[in-house]
Amino acid sequence: MSTVNSLLAAISGEGRDAKRGGYSRPVYSDAEITLREWFIAEASVRGLEVSTDANGIIWAWWDLPGSAGDDASRKGSLVTGSHLDSVPGGGAFDGPLGVASALAAYDVLAAREASGELVRNRALALAVFPEEEGSRFGVACLGSRLLSGAIDPVKALNLRDAEGNTFADIAAANGLDPARMGRDEKALARIGDFIELHVEQGRGLNTEQYTDAAGRGPAVAVGSSILGHGRWRLSFSGQGNHAGTTLMIDRADPMVAAAQLVLKVREIATAQPDARATVGRLEPVPGGTNVIASRVDIWLDVRHPDDAVTALLVEKIHGQAQKIAAFEGCSVVLTEESLSGTVHFDAALSASLERSVHRLVPDAPALPTGAGHDAGVLAAYLPTGMLYVRNPSGISHSPEEYVEDADAEAGVLALADALEDLL
Ligand code: GLV
Ligand code: MN
Ligand code: MN
């Protein structure tokens, strides 16, 4: 039986990023494809029936004994899983921990069924969702958004990566039929409940209210809610020109405008309780040391528990961007790329998760998170819930993201118990 740690060790060499550090595994890159193949091989060797659906989601089915494995017998099944793509220079656990834990939890449950300890009433599927981070095509949770119909497939197919490839082209190159992508009623009907285990991405489990005398928090938490969040692109346009011949007073430099806005974003978000706003990506065009840029695109990520406040924050930032652009002789255009409202996980499912997890981790708290997940997108369509595994560094989307082996093992057992109670 593989352990979650041996499963993660097997993929630890894939997609390492020598320049940024950590891992860069954008969807349908060589590294992510290798990880998808790894998952398919691990599921197949366990005798699970594996298929990739029209939206690129991989499903590995543990059907009920004697069942035909058809749509009727799989309706309302229990599903667990996560994603294998990463942010640029990300950590080893965001996504892969949930996928490896799903495989390891299956191993625990299969052994319990073989010993007669577990009798199931429904099938279990392990799932891998593509482009959860949106780090290649810009929209996070693209697989679950397509599956549920939360995004118009035409919009999704026209998204472009940094090289200008459309999502349609890349999907087709990976064996998918763009014409078939979009809301999938049959696949949705097969999901009765979805549970996603994930590395905790902040200091939630390390806060004083949860830590013991040694300063150690519980290994696992149950998710309660996800902060509303969205992404916007602000394009500042000015006059591209020569760095040496253009007098300072003659410039319309969009980089100077963008730099001022970055500071305003911090000021505006700091003044609003519970708000988070980030500029993590900036692209000057054409991008030369001795060239005044003609355009600078910056990407804005804004999060707040109250969706109306999120909208207000973006409005304020846009207003400041317009003022700054005018002062600098530039113009600015704001484009919304994605928006997800605050999500509260299904109350009955979360209560069931808490009861199950408390058998193993009696002090496991219910935790909100500021990070987005496929379980958040799917929550609008079916009952979803999440488990988080302690991250001692509290750091994520960085090579320093960390999970201790013992906590990862505890996460698997907690997930297995939670799944058993729902099967
Ligand atoms: C995904 O991890 C996000 O919250 O952006
Ligand atoms: Mn994730
Ligand atoms: Mn992430």
Side-chain angles (χ1 to χ4, degrees):
M1 197 189 283
S2 333
T3 64
V4 61
N5 294 304
S6 66
L7 286 163
L8 288 172
I11 55 170
S12 63
E14 300 299 336
R16 282 189 185 271
D17 191 325
K19 192 170 152 202
R20 300 180 177 100
Y23 295 92
S24 292
R25 295 160 166 169
V27 70
Y28 300 128
S29 62
D30 288 351
E32 201 249 5
I33 290 169
T34 301
L35 295 198
R36 290 164 72 88
E37 288 167 349
W38 159 82
F39 173 77
I40 290 170
E42 286 291 342
S44 302
V45 87
R46 285 165 170 78
L48 304 178
E49 198 223 281
V50 185
S51 58
T52 302
D53 72 14
N55 293 310
I57 302 164
I58 310 175
W59 302 90
W61 283 94
W62 187 31
D63 288 306
L64 284 175
S67 113
D70 54 8
D71 279 334
S73 66
R74 289 178 177 174
K75 198 162 184 262
S77 296
L78 183 58
V79 180
T80 187
S82 193
H83 61 100
L84 293 168
D85 63 302
S86 78
V87 294
F93 301 95
D94 179 357
L97 181 68
V99 175
S101 297
L103 288 163
Y106 160 80
D107 289 341
V108 172
L109 294 172
R112 288 182 189 169
E113 184 172 74
S115 71
E117 195 187 325
L118 165 66
V119 179
R120 288 185 291 144
N121 293 308
R122 54 179 175 161
L124 173 71
L126 316 185
V128 175
F129 290 89
E131 185 64 328
E132 191 265 3
E133 299 289 4
S135 52
R136 180 160 185 185
F137 291 100
V139 176
C141 301
L142 196 53
S144 55
R145 283 185 207 272
L146 281 164
L147 164 72
S148 59
I151 189 169
D152 178 349
V154 175
K155 178 181 173 188
L157 291 168
N158 283 309
L159 294 171
R160 286 183 189 273
D161 67 10
E163 276 72 50
N165 304 298
T166 63
F167 179 60
D169 288 343
I170 297 300
N174 283 281
L176 300 172
D177 177 359
R180 290 184 55 230
M181 295 184 112
R183 184 171 163 96
D184 186 338
E185 298 293 347
K186 278 191 180 166
L188 277 173
R190 289 190 284 258
I191 316 175
D193 302 284
F194 176 60
I195 315 292
E196 182 168 0
L197 178 146
H198 206 278
V199 58
E200 216 261 300
Q201 294 179 276
R203 297 191 34 76
L205 280 167
N206 302 327
T207 48
E208 222 171 90
Q209 68 189 118
Y210 303 127
T211 49
D212 60 19
R216 195 183 171 83
V220 180
V222 176
S224 57
S225 62
I226 295 183
L227 212 54
H229 55 284
R231 297 180 184 187
W232 292 262
R233 185 176 68 248
L234 285 140
S235 289
F236 285 96
S237 293
Q239 179 58 58
N241 216 331
H242 192 290
T245 61
T246 316
L247 297 181
M248 297 312 286
I249 50 154
D250 288 342
R251 298 180 181 210
D253 185 344
M255 182 62 88
V256 173
Q260 290 173 62
L261 189 69
V262 171
L263 297 177
K264 274 287 169 203
V265 166
R266 181 176 67 170
E267 191 183 307
I268 289 167
T270 305
Q272 176 67 52
D274 299 326
R276 289 136 210 213
T278 307
V279 176
R281 183 175 159 212
L282 179 152
E283 271 176 26
V285 178
T289 305
N290 56 351
V291 181
I292 299 166
S294 57
R295 196 180 89 223
V296 173
D297 292 336
I298 69 175
W299 280 265
L300 176 68
D301 179 310
V302 179
R303 308 189 188 212
H304 192 275
D306 181 338
D307 299 342
V309 175
T310 304
L312 203 69
L313 288 167
V314 175
E315 211 178 290
K316 270 192 193 166
I317 291 167
H318 186 207
Q320 286 297 329
Q322 285 172 315
K323 261 195 208 161
I324 292 166
F327 184 77
E328 296 297 335
C330 298
S331 61
V332 65
V333 174
L334 174 84
T335 310
E336 180 182 298
E337 294 197 336
S338 64
L339 183 60
S340 302
T342 288
V343 166
H344 296 275
F345 291 118
D346 185 81
L349 185 59
S350 297
S352 167
L353 292 180
E354 283 186 28
R355 278 193 301 276
S356 312
V357 170
H358 284 163
R359 293 207 294 276
L360 189 77
V361 187
D363 51 350
L367 275 191
T369 183
H373 299 286
D374 291 302
V377 169
L378 293 177
Y381 306 89
L382 48 100
T384 69
M386 290 194 71
L387 299 183
Y388 301 119
V389 177
R390 192 174 74 98
N391 173 352
S393 69
I395 292 173
S396 187
H397 284 184
S398 153
E400 278 120 285
E401 177 184 88
Y402 186 53
V403 170
E404 289 177 4
D405 287 2
D407 288 346
E409 298 288 354
V412 169
L413 292 177
L415 177 63
D417 282 354
L419 295 173
E420 174 168 350
D421 291 346
L422 293 162
L423 279 169

